[in-house]
Amino acid sequence: MTTEMRTRLVGLKDPAAWSAALEGLPHSIAHEAAFRAALDTGRDDAQCVLFVAESERGKAVCPVLERPLETRADIATPYGFGGFIGVGDLTGLDQAWRAFARERGYVAGYLAQHPSLSCSAIGADEERFEIEPRIPPRSTARRG
């Protein structure tokens, strides 16, 4: 039996898959597709998606708002108290999230946790600041 977490995204255009991903998880209205869709104004290119990580022994989800930045993206917690929720053995969730975020090209993010539904496997009970700069240095040439 493997404990490696498999990851995927579910979009608002598939509410059945979104609801299925939430099955068996204690969650708030802010995690539900209908709530997310009701708040989607469609005014910009940001999209709300549900991050899903699962193994045979556990499952976790987190709604995120992806905002494209050229070839990369930043993420934020959509309106409401969402954040990571999960059940079972979530060993490897932190590593799965990091790998997924790198693969998606996330450069920055702010994810708020629901005050009573926190998921400690992702480090929700602590402040985290991680910096991995990959910005090329500015040119030192003087402009005329």
Side-chain angles (χ1 to χ4, degrees):
M1 179 183 306
T2 180
T3 59
E4 184 175 322
M5 304 289 289
R6 297 173 306 281
T7 60
R8 61 189 168 94
L9 285 181
V10 178
L12 286 175
K13 292 182 180 180
D14 193 351
W18 191 299
S19 293
L22 290 177
E23 280 184 30
L25 296 174
H27 62 279
S28 75
I29 191 170
H31 291 93
E32 295 181 14
F35 181 76
R36 300 270 52 102
L39 298 175
D40 184 16
T41 63
R43 290 186 296 172
D44 55 27
D45 55 357
Q47 68 171 344
C48 185
V49 293
L50 186 68
F51 168 79
V52 181
E54 54 196 338
S55 71
E56 289 79 15
R57 299 176 64 179
K59 174 172 64 172
V61 302
C62 182
V64 295
L65 187 64
E66 287 187 327
R67 301 177 294 201
L69 302 166
E70 297 176 6
T71 62
R72 303 241 180 204
D74 79 346
I75 58 168
T77 301
Y79 179 79
F81 285 110
F84 278 90
I85 54 173
V87 295
D89 180 359
L90 300 178
T91 302
L93 175 59
D94 200 23
Q95 295 84 1
W97 169 250
R98 289 172 193 255
F100 185 83
R102 273 192 295 277
E103 179 183 301
R104 296 287 295 176
Y106 296 161
V107 294
Y110 175 78
L111 297 176
Q113 286 298 123
H114 188 285
S116 62
L117 296 174
S118 66
C119 180
S120 61
I122 201 69
D125 296 331
E126 55 188 77
E127 289 185 22
R128 297 179 99 157
F129 299 93
E130 296 185 20
I131 299 174
E132 191 176 326
R134 293 194 175 155
I135 300 171
R138 287 185 171 178
S139 172
T140 56
R142 300 187 99 186
R143 295 184 184 179

